């Protein structure tokens, strides 16, 4: 039996999950988990903590559209499933909260900073993997930070 894993040392070593829409086997970090509530309602579970068997979907809009179109949630759950009216909106809201939680953990752990001066200091002294700006931030300031490599 062949495995979808590679010899890449950076490849995922943990268990893989199968997307119910695309049938791809992927690490759970690339997937969204759903669970069924008591009334068989579909509940997004970005933290992966709800009880029950998980229904896994590749974290892409296309996979969600395909799952909804083909009835993949009901097939995977082996029965009728109540879908929320605004499933995509619910997923986006929950992911925003999850991302905010991760950013808070990173700040408390000293791995992320906020504020103009702290960001400028990091850009001068450390490698930066991700630079984020608030949605109401100044486009001119963003361009200045991105364009000024010799800080």
């Amino acid at each position: 039996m062949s495995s979808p894993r590679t010899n890449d040392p950076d490849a995922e070593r943990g268990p893989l999950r199968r997307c119910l829409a695309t049938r791809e086997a992927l690490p759970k970090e690339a997937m969204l988990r759903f669970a069924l509530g008591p009334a068989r309602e579909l509940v997004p579970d970005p933290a992966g903590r709800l009880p029950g068997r998980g229904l896994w979907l590749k974290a892409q809009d296309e996979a969600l559209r395909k799952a909804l179109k083909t009835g993949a949630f009901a097939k995977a759950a082996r029965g009728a499933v109540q879908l929320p009216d605004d499933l995509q909106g619910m997923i986006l809201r929950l992911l925003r909260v999850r991302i905010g939680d991760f950013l808070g953990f990173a700040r408390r752990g000293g791995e992320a900073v906020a504020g103009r001066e702290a960001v400028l200091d990091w850009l001068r002294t450390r490698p930066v993997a991700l630079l984020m700006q608030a949605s109401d931030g100044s486009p001119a300031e963003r361009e200045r930070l991105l364009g000024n490599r010799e800080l």
Side-chain angles (χ1 to χ4, degrees):
M1 180 167 128
S2 67
S3 170
R5 298 169 196 239
T6 66
N7 291 329
D8 180 2
D10 294 329
E12 170 66 32
R13 298 278 186 228
L16 301 177
R17 308 292 189 263
R18 184 162 310 278
C19 174
L20 56 95
T22 66
R23 308 304 299 159
E24 293 176 78
L26 299 167
K28 66 181 182 178
E29 293 80 14
M31 308 283 276
L32 294 173
R33 183 182 189 271
F34 296 85
L36 290 181
R40 296 193 58 85
E41 71 274 8
L42 188 69
V43 180
D45 182 21
R49 294 189 177 148
L50 294 177
R53 181 176 162 266
L55 305 173
W56 294 87
L57 188 67
K58 186 175 180 179
Q60 287 185 344
D61 284 341
E62 180 66 28
L64 178 60
R65 282 193 291 277
K66 183 175 181 180
L68 293 173
K69 182 179 178 183
T70 62
F73 288 110
K75 290 175 190 172
R78 297 184 183 111
V81 173
Q82 299 296 320
L83 298 174
D85 291 333
D86 183 22
L87 181 60
Q88 186 174 22
M90 180 186 286
I91 292 168
L92 289 175
R93 286 188 297 279
L94 289 169
L95 288 175
R96 282 187 185 117
V97 168
R98 187 99 170 121
I99 290 168
D101 291 345
F102 282 129
L103 288 173
F105 293 146
R107 285 189 67 193
R108 287 188 292 279
E111 296 298 320
V113 294
R116 184 178 184 277
E117 293 306 315
V119 169
L120 287 172
D121 182 53
W122 268 51
L123 288 171
R124 284 186 202 104
T125 61
R126 299 174 118 177
V128 175
L130 176 68
L131 180 61
M132 294 176 56
Q133 181 185 24
S135 60
D136 62 348
S138 160
E141 182 68 13
R142 179 181 59 243
E143 291 303 317
R144 191 177 78 70
L145 287 172
L146 291 175
N148 193 356
R149 298 289 181 209
E150 65 277 350
L151 294 171

